[in-house]
Amino acid sequence: MTAPPISTGITPADVPGGSDGPPLLGLTNISKGFPGVQALQDVSFDLRAGEVHALVGENGSGKSTLTKIAAGQYQADSGEIFVDGQRMHFRGPSESIRAGISAIAQEIPLVSQLSIAENVLLGRIPRRRGVVDWPAVNAHARDVLDQLDAGDLDPRREVGTLPLDQQQVVSIARALSVNSRIIIFDEPTSSLTEDEVEALFRVIRNLRARGVGIVFISHRLKEIYSVADRVTVLRDGQVIGTLPIEQAPEATLTKMMVGRELGDYFHKREVPRGDTVFEARGVVPRGYENGVDFTLHAGEIVGLAGLVGAGRSDLLSTLFGLHGRVRGEVLVDGRPVHIKGPRNAIASGLALVPEDRKRAGLVLNRSVKENLMLAANARIFPHFMVAGRAERATAHQYVTQLSIRTSDIETPVQQLSGGNQQKVVIGRWLVQRPRIWLLDEPTRGIDVGAKVEIFRLMGDLAASGTAILMSSSELIDLLGICDRLLVMFRGQIVAELSRAESTEERVVYYATGQSLA
């Protein structure tokens, strides 16, 4: 059994720009409300065969709600759905899939105990005389993975042993194997490397050439310009406008998304550098052999730059004690501290905002209030007694302070947008009042407006005398917000650059190991 070509019944000759005839997908006057929130209000959106139509907007603007309605995961309160001009009513995802629609979410659940091939063909595993045809299963998965240029993945490998970025590739392969005519990509690149992103874009371009319609959601505007033909902007559940991509410069899109001029995007504040509050001497990041040395000062934001695999996340998780006793010496305010685990790190004044907030930073099925109070200690609740009134008051305080968009503090945090979830993670640590913050990809998967708010908060923390060590794969963010950069290569710090010395070219030079050649 070989993977069939991803066929639509439409040839490029049938799609002269995709503008003739009814849209492949039409969403007309869609409205959807949740308790306390009107997610969508009279939203209309169309997708032509053979085009990539980008959908952008801040977190909470309604993008995911709209695409979930198209995918049959939600039912609209009002409005109509059309596929090829035919009115549809999806009572569930299976009906949407039968109509030729596949949705690739930012995080599609995989069965970690099964192989890559079994996950790709989940629910459609071929059998011969009642027995699973394993050669056919693996061959089919191999062909689909080849379409993604993921030739180094063994279809027989257990998914649970894969890193996060490769698990996302498997999720994409599963959706592509269904032969859909309409594919919705909802933040599909959030955990992919640059090479994997480009491989995905090649697949998207090939699908477009075959007449497939693509809805593409991404917070990274540069990705929109790489693949999109048109772009629609949502804000507060309403359509602000739809433009051909060549008529949508970044400044225009940004203003449409946030409703204002951003001005100074990073809001970088000049804060006098204080005393040394943290020092690492010969600290060995997990998975590496050599130690690193660096210092952090009060009022300073220090960035960790480097390519994928440089060891940035490994260094942060090591410093926080996630892998047991820290190898090397750590000093806080000039005094040695012994970090054997997260409890020691917290007691020493450290906080970690992890890269994967959903897996490591939040309890998704618990409320906003409960997540905010996870780090609360005896400073707020003496004698380990949780006072309900004080707990609610504290939660309300941080919801207001951080502008967390939620209908209620009892709302499960999994119902919040990515940017608001990140604010909850940060708010949880604000309750604890740490002096040293370790931020791992703090703006990953959040929109430009939420980024501005996170950067403003970082500036406030620095102004209060906090020291911040921030890792990010977005070099422009590091250049915009940091006072110093530490550039890593294969677990080592190979350069330390002041703000004045930090340029994109210089950082890339050190990050690629050229200084060690």
Side-chain angles (χ1 to χ4, degrees), residues 312-327:
R312 293 174 289 122
S313 294
D314 297 303
L315 175 59
L316 294 180
S317 59
T318 294
L319 291 171
F320 198 65
L322 292 183
H323 315 298
R325 182 188 295 273
V326 175
R327 294 169 56 192

Side-chain angles (χ1 to χ4, degrees), residues 149-317:
D149 290 345
D152 56 337
L153 289 179
D154 184 346
R156 298 166 297 179
R157 183 172 173 182
E158 188 176 298
V159 161
T161 66
L162 298 173
L164 189 61
D165 57 347
Q166 292 184 351
Q167 290 188 22
Q168 182 70 345
V169 172
V170 176
S171 298
I172 294 168
R174 179 201 292 178
L176 292 179
S177 71
V178 184
N179 298 335
S180 300
R181 304 171 58 213
I182 300 163
I183 301 181
I184 300 167
F185 288 90
D186 190 352
E187 297 286 353
T189 65
S190 61
S191 57
L192 301 184
T193 66
E194 289 186 10
D195 288 343
E196 288 164 341
V197 169
E198 187 50 46
L200 173 62
F201 286 173
R202 287 195 294 271
V203 171
I204 289 176
R205 293 180 187 115
N206 289 337
L207 292 169
R208 176 173 58 187
R210 299 176 189 178
V212 177
I214 307 289
V215 180
F216 188 81
I217 299 175
S218 177
H219 288 116
R220 299 172 179 174
L221 292 184
K222 66 178 182 180
E223 295 182 352
I224 301 299
Y225 293 105
S226 295
V227 295
D229 301 295
R230 286 191 295 159
V231 56
T232 290
V233 180
L234 291 182
R235 187 172 78 234
D236 297 329
Q238 296 180 303
V239 173
I240 302 303
T242 298
L243 296 169
I245 196 65
E246 63 271 13
Q247 297 177 19
E250 186 170 345
T252 298
L253 285 186
T254 299
K255 185 176 180 180
M256 292 171 70
M257 287 166 60
V258 302
R260 63 185 186 277
E261 297 284 356
L262 285 180
D264 182 7
Y265 179 81
F266 295 101
H267 298 283
K268 176 60 179 170
R269 298 169 60 177
E270 296 301 325
V271 177
R273 191 168 86 164
D275 296 333
T276 299
V277 296
F278 182 89
E279 186 174 359
R281 298 177 180 173
V283 171
V284 181
R286 181 192 64 160
Y288 297 91
E289 295 300 324
N290 297 317
V292 300
D293 303 310
F294 66 91
T295 60
L296 301 176
H297 295 258
E300 186 178 40
I301 301 175
V302 177
L304 284 178
L307 304 179
V308 173
R312 293 174 289 122
S313 294
D314 297 303
L315 175 59
L316 294 180
S317 59

Side-chain angles (χ1 to χ4, degrees), residues 14 80 118 124 140 167 225 237 252 302 310 314 333 336 373 389 424 484-485 492:
D14 297 324
E80 297 177 311
E118 289 172 290
R124 299 173 290 117
H140 181 96
Q167 290 188 22
Y225 293 105
T252 298
V302 177
D314 297 303
D333 292 327
M373 306 314 298
R389 182 177 300 175
V424 172
R484 279 190 295 139
L485 289 186
Q492 300 179 56

Side-chain angles (χ1 to χ4, degrees), residues 392-452:
R392 289 191 294 273
T394 302
H396 277 298
Q397 173 190 339
Y398 286 101
V399 165
T400 301
Q401 178 180 333
L402 297 173
S403 301
I404 297 172
R405 295 182 61 179
T406 178
S407 58
D408 191 86
I409 61 172
E410 300 295 342
T411 299
V413 77
Q414 62 189 355
Q415 294 183 14
L416 272 59
S417 64
N420 286 299
Q421 288 180 352
Q422 187 73 315
K423 291 179 188 177
V424 172
V425 177
I426 292 172
R428 186 185 76 191
W429 286 117
L430 286 175
V431 175
Q432 186 75 10
R433 296 182 182 174
R435 297 184 58 220
I436 301 143
W437 287 71
L438 309 176
L439 306 181
D440 196 358
E441 301 284 356
T443 60
R444 170 169 285 176
I446 65 176
D447 60 72
V448 63
K451 273 191 178 185
V452 171

